[in-house]
Amino acid sequence: MAKLANVVVLVVVAFAAICLHSVEAADFTVGGSSGWFNSPPGGASFYSNWASGLTFKVNDVLVFNFATGSHDVAILTKANFDSCNVNNPIQLIRNGPARVTLNRTGEFYFACAFPGHCNSGQKLSINVSNSPSSPTSPSPAGAPGSSPTPPSGQQSPPPSSANSLAITIPLLLATICLSLFLHF
C-alpha cells in the first residue's frame, strides 16, 4: 500500500508541475539582444522577423529596451500602425525599458513615435493567442535579412506569480490530503 501511495503522490506532483508550466507568462525582449532602436539592421522587416517564430499569450510581457529620451513605445491602432501615424497613440510609454503586458488576445501594434523612426522600421505587430508561450522557439533574429544574434533574444520566462500561486496552493493541499488518506 505504501508503494501505491508513493506512486499516487508522484503522479499528483507531476500533474502539478505540468499545470504550473502551462500558466507561466514569459518575458520577450523585443528585437532580442539588438533591442528597440531606429534603422534596425534587418531593415523594415527586422521586428516582424524577430516575432515571426514566437507565440505570444495573454500575460506575456514585451520588454522594449531603449534609452529614455532616444526612443519610446507607442501602442497604436492597426490603421495608425499601417500608415505610421504616431500622433494619436492608444498609449505612449516614454521611459525605457518599457514593459508591456499583453492583457488580451488579438493583434497588438507598436511603433516608436520619434519623427521618422516608424517609417524606418521601428515598428512591431504581434498576435496574442490563448496557446502556451514558446520561449524555447528559435529566435527569428537569425532569419534571413537580419543580423545574427544569439538566441538569448528572449529572457527565461519567469512564472506568473499570481497564476502559479492560484494553482500551487490547491494542488499542494490536495497532495497532502491524498498522502494522509493513503497512509491511514
Side-chain angles (χ1 to χ4, degrees):
M1 184 71 167
K3 285 186 179 187
L4 177 62
N6 290 340
V7 169
V8 171
V9 168
L10 285 175
V11 168
V12 170
V13 169
F15 178 75
I18 291 168
C19 287
L20 285 175
H21 180 69
S22 69
V23 297
E24 288 181 349
D27 281 4
F28 293 92
T29 301
V30 174
S33 60
S34 298
W36 182 244
F37 62 96
N38 190 29
S39 301
S45 63
F46 177 77
Y47 291 108
S48 29
N49 286 341
W50 170 81
S52 67
L54 301 174
T55 302
F56 302 98
K57 68 176 185 98
V58 175
N59 293 325
D60 283 348
V61 176
L62 295 182
V63 180
F64 294 82
N65 284 328
F66 62 91
T68 300
S70 298
H71 300 286
D72 55 25
V73 177
I75 302 174
L76 304 172
T77 63
K78 180 176 180 7
N80 286 341
F81 174 84
D82 289 342
S83 65
C84 273
N85 178 358
V86 294
N87 296 323
N88 189 21
I90 296 168
Q91 182 181 359
L92 182 63
I93 305 167
R94 296 174 195 248
N95 296 324
R99 295 178 58 85
V100 177
T101 300
L102 305 172
N103 58 3
R104 61 173 172 78
T105 59
E107 297 290 323
F108 283 79
Y109 303 95
F110 306 95
C112 181
F114 276 59
H117 289 203
C118 178
N119 288 320
S120 68
Q122 194 174 2
K123 61 192 260 183
L124 168 69
S125 69
I126 62 163
N127 183 42
V128 176
S129 67
N130 283 327
S131 64
S133 292
S134 58
T136 56
S137 296
S139 173
S146 68
S147 13
T149 55
S152 62
Q154 304 150 351
Q155 298 171 343
S156 298
S160 170
S161 58
N163 289 338
S164 295
L165 191 57
I167 289 181
T168 302
I169 292 173
L171 287 176
L172 180 61
L173 291 174
T175 303
I176 291 169
C177 290
L178 185 59
S179 179
L180 289 174
F181 173 76
L182 291 175
H183 282 97
F184 290 107

